[in-house]
Amino acid sequence: MPTRPHGPTQTPHRLSFARPAGHWLEALPLGNGRIGAMPDGGVERERVRLNDGTAWSGSPASEFAHGRVGAATAREAVAEARRALAGGDHAAADRAVRRIQERWTQAYLPFGGLTVGVVHPPGPVTGYSRRLDLRTAEHVVSYTAGGATVVRRTVVSHPDRALLMTIDVPQGPGLDLTLGLDSPLRILGHGADGRGAWLTTRMPTDVAPPHEPDAPSPVYDDDAVSLRGAVAVHWSHDGQDVPAGEAAAPGTRGGGALLAARGVRHAEIVLTTGTTFTAIGAAPRGDERDALEAARRDLDAAVERGAAALRERQRADHARLYERVELEWDAPDERGRQLAFLFHYGRYLLISASRAGGTPATLQGLWNDSMRPAWSANYTVNINTQMNYWPADVTDLPECLPPLFDLVEAVSVRGAKTARRLYDADGWCAHHNTDVWAYTSPVGRGEADPAWAFWPLAGGWLCRHLVDHVAFGAGLPFARDRAWPIVRGAARFLLDWLVELPDGTLGLSPSSSPENRFSTAAGPMAVDVSSAIDVGIARDVLTSVVALARDTGRPFDPVAEAARSALPRLPHPETDEDGTIREWRGPHVMAEPAHRHLSPLYEAFPGPGMRPESAAAVARTLDVRGDDSTGWSLAWKLALRARLRHTGRLPALIDLALREVDPGAVGEHGGLYPNRLSAHPPFQIDGNFGFTAAIAECVLQSHTGTVDLLPALPSDWPAGRLRGLVARPGVVVDLAWDDGRRLTGAWLRGRREGTGEVRVSWDGASVEVDLDRGPWTVRPGEGGTLLAVPG
């Protein structure tokens, strides 16, 4: 596929530019799960935009800072909505559910910036290169200016919680350098001491999303709680320190520099961050001095360890995760290189954005440059946050999942109060959006369309990740201690939320289907009875709680028993006259037939899989929705077509996902920005993660209980191989195929003892292998058989 002039070049593991970044969507992302960095590769000024995963506006008190909907009001509103729906009055139901809306979640914010000013000898700049190496997680800038060859290398280390930049001049005279710090947040103080500098900040108490344009934003309220933050930096060099005020090179912090030096041929810059954040859902603790002390502790330890050790530890930590999986072609063309890069990029971004001890990847992962980002750069939990983690188990990145599980656990605690207050229900629930403070209420201020402001089933969808992690071999302790209480709580809520319908089945009322609407005489409406996704999630959660009860030694748990009784009364999806899955219980004309959300297909993917008799209706629904859409919707469609084994439909979806999108583009046409981050538009990282997961789904599936090899290779794929994918119940699989997309060999091994026997299938043939006996090689045999040999 062609690239625009001066655009990037790609190999399967590298993205390169021949000029500095002109804007944020050309900068290249680095991260360690806490510190996010976007260096722009400037020549006279290297600007590194900084994020800290714990830098959010507000606090846990923000959800109800302006009052809350009372229990009596909420329960009256729900009862009114049910009565209205029973009488077919969707407009009245719409008005009723608006009465339980609170305000908005808080926002994930930019944290600051590091600026390195550079004065070179006079002369032209030649040989410029800026690249991101996915294998090493290193950003490298090199060029020659005035006879001086300059090489800048930047990494962000997870083991040492620090950013490291080295500057070398292997040829030519030394450089004059300055170092400055800045922040778009309220700056409380800054200074320099010897070869160190620092900056302290305060985060706003409230940031309204852009879709609330009448609300002031950001708001700093001295009487309300909010986070404090700090950046600390140290440099060492072989030049001569000079007073920052005498420096010729540009800096920041009011236009000046904090540190300066002359005649530098080698420099090492180490940067750390700190905040008063304590835990997801918990109140901040301390002030800016505590934040600075935390940053300095990490900084002192990193500086003492030294740049060489920092780099070695960072590289080893990254390689331990990144090198597990690789997609290769025998004879790659440009499109193949782009596809392989985007597959690897999703894994790279997840490693960079989400690590144990940190916060989960947001709508923008770990990277955001706006004080009022689209949709608050929050956790949108009606698809987007969930899609962020689709690749984690199947592409062998379980180390990236703990922040998500921490969020779900915190939401389950706060969501128990929401379930009781709004719905008089046991268990816990959450709605469309949450944040690092574990917000669980409906948003909208009483004015928002219920299509995106009323949906109490988000908790059930989040449970799918815990259930999947168990299925991928997480082990009994995780199932018993982490998954069980959370899934049980979600099931308790659903058992209270389900209602008996006139035909004797169980359903959900009121019910919406994110973020879709249907046509009525009163205009487009979103609230009806038993949306397909609500019933599908209910069936998934109740089935899961029964299985977890059995597997953790609690077969007679009362919630599991109640779930077992309720399951036969849940209806399976119905089909409309046009052959599509019916999105609500009643037949409706869709207000947007090509809507980006594929909510009625939840059970098909990412759920446990629909019944075979529903496959035609799933396919027809995808046909009606069309191929083109937002970046994340393209990824969802790609995964669904892979589940359906529609190999001929996959190339067009891949091409749409790979197309270039101008940073100023608007409308629902996904693709890639110059730095290969996914376009909604605007930027949303879920499309990157979803693409990686969907490609894995083309090559390996295991949701049916069988390890299914090459179930949906796209019809135009050449010969290649993909090593390191993981199948349920914890099987590492390497696969290779020829130009005819036929399996040439597969190599399987269990990730832990006790994996036991698994059935392996390809092209209608199957074979049993006992992974407790060691690894196996599987290949096609004569007469359409499948052969397996040890080793």
Side-chain angles (χ1 to χ4, degrees):
M1 300 180 67
T3 58
R4 60 170 62 95
H6 309 296
T9 58
Q10 293 168 250
T11 70
H13 298 279
R14 181 177 289 181
L15 184 63
S16 303
F17 287 80
R19 59 182 174 85
H23 49 78
W24 193 79
L25 288 168
E26 288 184 347
L28 299 172
L30 300 169
N32 66 356
R34 171 68 183 259
I35 299 172
M38 280 280 205
D40 67 7
V43 173
E44 295 181 349
R45 189 186 76 158
E46 169 78 88
R47 167 82 168 146
V48 183
R49 292 176 175 87
L50 299 171
N51 290 101
D52 182 297
T54 64
W56 288 72
S57 60
S59 73
S62 301
E63 185 168 353
F64 305 117
H66 296 265
R68 74 180 72 191
V69 176
T73 298
R75 295 168 193 178
E76 179 184 294
V78 171
E80 180 182 334
R82 285 175 172 167
R83 287 193 299 270
L85 292 171
D89 190 343
H90 299 100
D94 178 294
R95 292 191 297 271
V97 297
R98 291 177 190 242
R99 294 170 57 196
I100 66 173
Q101 295 174 2
E102 302 290 353
R103 293 173 74 242
W104 47 72
T105 66
Q106 290 304 306
Y108 178 55
L109 300 173
F111 198 62
L114 166 70
T115 298
V116 179
V118 185
V119 174
H120 312 86
V125 175
T126 60
Y128 182 91
S129 172
R130 173 173 62 97
R131 68 180 185 268
L132 174 65
D133 190 323
L134 303 187
R135 288 194 186 276
T136 60
E138 183 178 49
H139 183 271
V140 182
V141 176
S142 61
Y143 57 88
T144 298
T149 298
V150 181
V151 180
R152 283 198 303 271
R153 300 178 181 272
T154 307
V155 297
V156 184
S157 169
H158 174 67
D160 293 296
R161 299 183 295 278
L163 178 148
L164 170 67
M165 178 189 291
T166 60
I167 305 173
D168 287 286
V169 186
Q171 179 178 321
L175 310 173
D176 291 355
L177 301 178
T178 61
L179 185 152
L181 297 172
D182 68 284
S183 177
L185 304 170
R186 177 173 289 178
I187 295 175
L188 302 178
H190 62 90
D193 182 11
R195 289 191 167 180
W198 57 273
L199 180 79
T200 56
T201 61
R202 180 185 179 186
M203 274 140 270
T205 50
D206 189 40
V207 172
H211 56 263
E212 299 284 358
D214 63 313
S217 184
V219 173
Y220 290 91
D221 182 351
D222 291 339
D223 295 326
V225 174
S226 67
L227 287 159
R228 305 301 196 269
V231 181
V233 65
H234 177 276
W235 74 353
S236 59
H237 57 78
D238 60 1
Q240 178 185 357
D241 290 314
V242 297
E246 298 178 10
T252 19
R253 186 61 220 134
L258 294 172
L259 299 171
R262 291 177 181 156
V264 177
R265 295 180 60 85
H266 176 75
E268 299 169 358
I269 300 169
V270 181
L271 178 145
T272 57
T273 64
T275 72
T276 53
F277 179 84
T278 57
I280 296 173
R285 185 170 60 244
D287 59 19
E288 61 272 16
R289 292 168 296 183
D290 299 291
L292 183 57
E293 182 181 351
R296 281 176 166 165
R297 280 197 301 269
D298 287 340
L299 182 67
D300 291 346
V303 170
E304 183 177 356
R305 184 163 279 122
L310 287 179
R311 187 67 185 90
E312 181 180 350
R313 283 159 57 86
Q314 179 273 333
R315 184 171 295 207
D317 172 76
H318 180 75
R320 180 174 59 87
L321 277 62
Y322 185 81
E323 294 296 341
R324 293 171 183 168
V325 174
E326 184 170 21
L327 172 62
E328 298 178 286
W329 314 108
D330 285 356
D333 57 12
E334 179 60 24
R335 180 177 180 274
R337 284 188 288 270
Q338 291 188 21
L339 194 162
F341 175 86
L342 196 58
F343 172 79
H344 297 137
Y345 198 34
R347 296 186 73 253
Y348 166 85
L349 291 168
L350 191 55
I351 294 167
S352 302
S354 182
R355 299 292 293 274
T359 53
T362 73
L363 278 174
Q364 295 188 184
L366 191 58
W367 304 275
N368 166 40
D369 71 334
S370 172
M371 283 295 291
R372 200 172 187 178
W375 304 290
S376 302
N378 68 6
Y379 303 117
T380 303
V381 285
N382 61 17
I383 173 60
N384 312 99
T385 299
Q386 290 90 334
M387 185 179 286
N388 284 359
Y389 288 89
W390 284 357
D393 275 312
V394 70
T395 71
D396 204 2
L397 291 176
E399 293 88 347
C400 298
L401 280 164
L404 175 66
F405 298 150
D406 292 343
L407 175 68
V408 178
E409 187 169 32
V411 167
S412 74
V413 172
R414 286 179 67 96
K417 297 178 181 178
T418 299
R420 175 57 60 196
R421 176 174 58 91
L422 297 184
Y423 307 119
D424 195 22
D426 285 332
W428 68 277
C429 72
H431 295 79
H432 282 78
N433 297 276
T434 188
D435 55 23
V436 80
W437 311 119
Y439 185 107
T440 59
S441 297
V443 298
R445 296 194 293 173
E447 303 170 355
D449 188 338
W452 59 267
F454 176 79
W455 189 62
L457 270 289
W461 190 333
L462 289 167
C463 285
R464 166 68 12 211
H465 287 275
L466 290 97
V467 172
D468 260 340
H469 195 51
V470 171
F472 274 95
L476 179 59
F478 179 88
R480 179 189 61 225
D481 303 332
R482 201 90 197 256
W484 166 254
I486 292 172
V487 176
R488 185 180 189 271
R492 287 182 70 187
F493 170 75
L494 281 164
L495 290 166
D496 281 354
W497 185 235
L498 288 165
V499 296
E500 184 172 341
L501 300 178
D503 62 1
T505 62
L506 294 177
L508 303 98
S509 177
S511 178
S512 63
S513 185
E515 299 171 7
N516 209 352
R517 300 179 297 172
F518 51 89
S519 299
T520 74
M525 294 292 163
V527 181
D528 198 358
V529 176
S530 290
S531 69
I533 188 173
D534 282 5
V535 178
I537 288 175
R539 181 171 18 258
D540 191 12
V541 172
L542 298 185
T543 301
S544 298
V545 81
V546 171
L548 280 171
R550 178 195 64 228
D551 295 343
T552 59
R554 302 176 175 93
F556 303 112
D557 176 86
V559 173
E561 291 278 75
R564 190 178 292 110
S565 298
L567 278 166
R569 301 180 64 193
L570 288 175
H572 286 282
E574 296 186 38
T575 303
D576 268 329
E577 290 184 0
D578 63 356
T580 63
I581 296 289
R582 181 172 292 178
E583 194 149 359
W584 285 268
R585 187 169 185 264
H588 292 296
V589 175
M590 295 296 102
E592 298 176 67
H595 196 269
R596 62 194 176 278
H597 276 261
L598 304 165
S599 302
L601 307 185
Y602 165 85
E603 287 186 272
F605 189 96
M610 278 185 168
R611 300 179 303 165
E613 52 265 41
S614 297
V618 173
R620 178 59 182 157
T621 304
L622 287 170
D623 290 343
V624 170
R625 295 289 166 103
D627 282 354
D628 204 357
S629 193
T630 63
W632 59 262
S633 183
L634 290 172
W636 198 355
K637 291 171 181 177
L638 186 59
L640 282 160
R641 291 290 186 185
R643 278 269 170 108
L644 293 170
R645 307 187 182 213
H646 290 177
T647 60
R649 299 297 298 269
L650 300 174
L653 288 166
I654 290 172
D655 283 344
L656 289 172
L658 290 176
R659 68 184 163 186
E660 300 206 7
V661 176
D662 188 275
V666 296
E668 296 185 357
H669 301 286
L672 302 174
Y673 292 118
N675 58 7
R676 296 317 186 232
L677 293 176
S678 180
H680 176 89
F683 160 50
Q684 280 189 201
I685 204 166
D686 39 27
N688 291 101
F689 296 135
F691 182 86
T692 296
I695 293 300
E697 196 72 16
C698 295
V699 179
L700 181 71
Q701 296 180 17
S702 59
H703 59 285
T704 64
T706 296
V707 179
D708 199 354
L709 310 175
L710 308 183
L713 280 192
S715 57
D716 62 345
W717 274 21
R721 65 202 61 82
L722 206 168
R723 62 169 175 83
L725 295 183
V726 180
R728 304 165 183 86
V731 185
V732 180
V733 183
D734 302 343
L735 303 104
W737 57 91
D738 62 19
D739 280 324
R741 298 182 297 114
R742 285 179 50 84
L743 178 73
T744 57
W747 298 265
L748 294 83
R749 63 188 184 277
R751 297 178 71 190
R752 58 178 175 80
E753 293 183 6
T755 302
E757 292 187 358
V758 298
R759 177 172 292 275
V760 183
S761 68
W762 173 72
D763 197 28
S766 64
V767 65
E768 297 275 352
V769 299
D770 185 356
L771 294 170
D772 288 342
R773 293 174 53 192
W776 290 77
T777 298
V778 175
R779 63 176 185 272
E782 295 181 359
T785 61
L786 204 57
L787 302 179
V789 295

